[in-house]
Amino acid sequence: MLKPFEHEGVKCVKCGTEVDGKVLYWVHFYLFKGILFDSVCPNISNEVAEFALQSNVKTILVTHYHEDHIGGAIALQRMVPVFAPRKSIDILFNPPNIPEYLKTVWGQPASLKAKPLDEINLEDIKVMETPGHTFDHTSFLVEDRVFAGDLIIRPGQMVIFLTFTFYNFRINLKHKKGSLKWLCKKSKRGF
């Protein structure tokens, strides 16, 4: 299910996988100046691809490797160039087998052959490494808008994967805090 809306010149799309008429977990992707920022889950990749093609998307930029950010890019990779952080390239091309509950909520990602962000002409886009949520997390500053993937998440549910240790979790929080401070300095609007 896709629910598009507009916010200050950015087309925002709220979407998710429906089970028994209910969306299990809402996620978002954004369209600005012909660029699709993230592309949500594999379970709804065909809907995202249709939306993107109707919206004349020219490029897809991926903030990080998680399956709820790459589904549409997988479906569109033969028609639209896809770029991702260099640190994401291998894991996108060889995605891990995810747990069953994530397959139900978002879907198992297929291989995505993205190009590294440093291979695109991004004169109007500032690319910022913003680790914390993931090791490869990247945000984009376009004009006065920040597309920050999962760097900033609404209050509520927090998922910690079994591969995290308390030590790694503390390091992630330290990186996230540093990334947020940096973004606040760079953003004209602030947070």
Side-chain angles (χ1 to χ4, degrees), residues 133-180:
H133 175 67
T134 59
F135 69 93
D136 62 330
H137 198 285
T138 300
S139 298
F140 305 98
L141 178 63
V142 184
E143 295 177 357
D144 61 348
R145 291 157 177 84
V146 176
F147 298 90
D150 283 345
L151 183 62
I152 304 164
I153 301 177
R154 65 175 174 78
Q157 177 184 1
M158 180 175 177
V159 178
I160 299 176
F161 295 95
L162 296 176
T163 56
F164 284 176
T165 64
F166 180 71
Y167 174 76
N168 287 339
F169 180 68
R170 286 180 53 218
I171 290 172
N172 285 345
L173 287 177
K174 180 180 173 187
H175 286 301
K176 185 173 253 190
K177 183 178 177 183
S179 295
L180 286 170

Side-chain angles (χ1 to χ4, degrees), residues 30-186:
Y30 307 93
L31 176 62
F32 185 63
K33 298 187 124 192
I35 302 168
L36 197 65
F37 295 90
D38 287 329
S39 62
V40 298
C41 17
N43 283 352
I44 58 170
S45 62
N46 290 335
E47 290 175 79
V48 174
E50 185 179 325
F51 170 87
L53 292 173
Q54 289 174 356
S55 301
N56 296 317
V57 167
K58 305 289 185 231
T59 302
I60 300 172
L61 299 181
V62 174
T63 59
H64 63 290
Y65 75 90
H66 282 167
E67 60 278 353
D68 59 321
H69 292 259
I70 62 170
I74 293 166
L76 288 162
Q77 65 184 322
R78 287 184 169 76
M79 297 170 269
V80 177
V82 179
F83 295 88
R86 187 170 287 281
K87 294 175 184 176
S88 307
I89 299 298
D90 289 341
I91 198 166
L92 291 172
F93 189 69
N94 298 301
N97 190 27
I98 61 174
E100 287 301 317
Y101 75 95
L102 290 177
K103 288 179 185 175
T104 300
V105 175
W106 290 318
Q108 173 65 45
S111 181
L112 173 59
K113 187 162 177 45
K115 298 175 187 170
L117 286 167
D118 55 13
E119 292 183 12
I120 186 175
N121 180 6
L122 295 171
E123 62 188 48
D124 296 334
I125 301 172
K126 174 85 172 146
V127 178
M128 305 163 286
E129 286 189 11
T130 50
H133 175 67
T134 59
F135 69 93
D136 62 330
H137 198 285
T138 300
S139 298
F140 305 98
L141 178 63
V142 184
E143 295 177 357
D144 61 348
R145 291 157 177 84
V146 176
F147 298 90
D150 283 345
L151 183 62
I152 304 164
I153 301 177
R154 65 175 174 78
Q157 177 184 1
M158 180 175 177
V159 178
I160 299 176
F161 295 95
L162 296 176
T163 56
F164 284 176
T165 64
F166 180 71
Y167 174 76
N168 287 339
F169 180 68
R170 286 180 53 218
I171 290 172
N172 285 345
L173 287 177
K174 180 180 173 187
H175 286 301
K176 185 173 253 190
K177 183 178 177 183
S179 295
L180 286 170
K181 281 182 178 181
W182 191 89
L183 276 177
C184 286
K185 286 179 188 175
K186 292 295 181 186

